Amino acid sequence: MIDFSTAWASVADVDGWMTDGQARALYDASASAPEGGTIVEIGSFQGRSTIILASAAPDGATVTAIDPHAGNDRGPQEIEGYADDAESDHARFNANLQRAGVADRVRHLRMFSDEALGEVAEIDVLYIDGAHRYGPALADIRQWGAKVRPGGTMLIHDSFSSIGVTGAIGRELLWSQRWRYVGRSRSLAIYRADTGVSSWKNAGRQLAQVPWFAKNVILKVLISAKILRGREWPY
């Protein structure tokens, strides 16, 4: 295991969307997996979050990073049309993992998340940061979330920020009696696979994030319309 400060420093020059607080949440979740456990990431881009997860992974744990590096869903406002960047993203992903010293801890599946479902059985820690549109986000939460063991953790990036991801959360998790909402670090929501979850209390804690979600949507509209210039895309 690599300590958090070292891991965070190692991703300073790696492109991606992850705050230090979000990195800490990912690191702690990965570190909580049992020895020999299974950690899965959906959406790796150039390896920023992958490095954090792999740095914290216990001995013998498997870190599976799923990303097709196909030039689509690369980040905010980069949904498709970036095929020319696909190979460079893939090369940078591998180079970044090598430079951080975690390449031997990561199993990369270069495929779309729905194509990789048969490659992984049960999961201890699941991090979802794939396509942010409603349909793909819902499929990832539903299909991959079903693989998480009782007591396991699911983290979802762009929660209460992306309209598609938030809609998927509302559909699948808002009234869930299996997934307990633990909290969030900005747009990184943390859920735990639990039993006896109070659906009303759980829903209330998630609905309390709606004002923050509304603020993010307004900011994105203003940034996209170039009314707010020089403002960072909220994540």
Side-chain angles (χ1 to χ4, degrees), residues 86-229:
E87 288 306 320
S88 64
D89 286 341
H90 183 62
R92 287 174 184 169
F93 169 80
N94 288 320
N96 289 334
L97 265 59
Q98 287 284 353
R99 186 166 53 252
V102 299
D104 60 339
R105 306 183 188 190
V106 177
R107 172 195 182 206
H108 179 215
L109 299 179
R110 192 176 181 182
M111 55 182 69
F112 291 98
S113 59
D114 59 337
E115 299 171 340
L117 280 165
E119 299 290 331
V120 180
E122 289 189 310
I123 299 171
D124 295 290
V125 177
L126 172 63
Y127 174 47
I128 299 176
D129 189 20
H132 294 349
R133 299 181 305 283
Y134 173 77
L138 179 62
D140 284 341
I141 293 170
R142 179 175 291 169
Q143 296 174 341
W144 285 94
K147 292 177 175 285
V148 178
R149 293 184 177 98
T153 302
M154 176 168 65
L155 306 100
I156 307 173
H157 201 257
D158 289 285
S159 302
F160 312 112
S161 178
S162 159
I163 293 175
V165 173
T166 305
I169 287 173
R171 173 70 180 272
E172 190 69 12
L173 303 177
L174 183 62
W175 296 101
S176 174
Q177 293 183 313
R178 178 178 185 247
W179 287 107
R180 179 167 58 88
Y181 174 67
V182 176
R184 64 176 174 85
S185 177
R186 292 177 61 89
S187 75
L188 179 66
I190 306 166
Y191 291 85
R192 189 137 304 126
D194 214 338
T195 56
V197 175
S198 168
S199 58
W200 284 97
K201 183 177 180 180
N202 206 39
R205 296 189 68 230
Q206 292 172 85
L207 288 171
Q209 314 310 313
V210 169
W212 192 75
F213 167 57
K215 175 185 174 182
N216 284 330
V217 171
I218 292 169
L219 281 174
K220 289 178 180 181
V221 169
L222 294 176
I223 292 170
S224 297
K226 302 187 186 308
I227 296 172
L228 277 182
R229 298 178 182 272

